[in-house]
Amino acid sequence: QVQLVESGGGLVQPGGSLRLSCAASGSIFGIAAMGWHRQAPGKQRELVASITSGGRTTYRDSVKGRFTISRDNAKNTMYMQMNNLEPEDTAVYYCRATRSGFRDNWGQGTQVTVSS
């Protein structure tokens, strides 16, 4: 089992920036990929970005060029730098860890609100 704790959410004005962090602990060996998902009110949870153990990244189209996912293996921490935030980015952001042969593990979520 992997425990995930997100941090870094908050209230920011349109055009502002936030950096989300996800600290992993527990059975962290063998994590094949980690990702950030978000869920806005009345919407389904959607993938925002992911990063594999080899460093390959993917992004949903709406955040390309604005968000950057990264990881620090020494700290067992994943990050997502979010720039040029838009009101449409408002959501609860969840950290996800994937291990081959196991169900995904999820963090508790951190609220991101983009509003003037």
Side-chain angles (χ1 to χ4, degrees):
Q1 190 175 29
V2 177
Q3 290 78 47
L4 303 169
V5 179
E6 303 100 330
S7 61
L11 174 64
V12 65
Q13 293 184 341
S17 298
L18 287 171
R19 189 182 73 158
L20 304 183
S21 299
C22 174
S25 61
S27 300
I28 61 175
F29 294 108
I31 293 178
M34 298 183 70
W36 289 99
H37 299 242
R38 67 188 181 188
Q39 187 166 21
K43 302 291 185 179
Q44 292 189 345
R45 187 174 298 186
E46 63 184 19
L47 174 68
V48 179
S50 65
I51 184 167
T52 70
S53 61
R56 179 164 53 89
T57 60
T58 59
Y59 300 90
R60 72 179 300 107
D61 287 344
S62 62
V63 308
K64 288 179 179 177
R66 299 190 297 121
F67 292 8
T68 303
I69 191 171
S70 63
R71 74 196 193 285
D72 187 335
N73 289 334
K75 297 181 179 179
N76 298 319
T77 301
M78 176 183 65
Y79 306 93
M80 186 164 67
Q81 179 68 40
M82 305 187 295
N83 297 327
N84 300 315
L85 284 161
E86 304 169 350
E88 293 74 19
D89 297 317
T90 296
V92 178
Y93 284 71
Y94 297 91
C95 176
R96 182 262 304 161
T98 297
R99 294 179 293 156
S100 180
F102 296 88
R103 289 186 176 185
D104 290 342
N105 294 119
W106 296 84
Q108 83 289 342
T110 184
Q111 176 71 49
V112 171
T113 302
V114 185
S115 176
S116 59

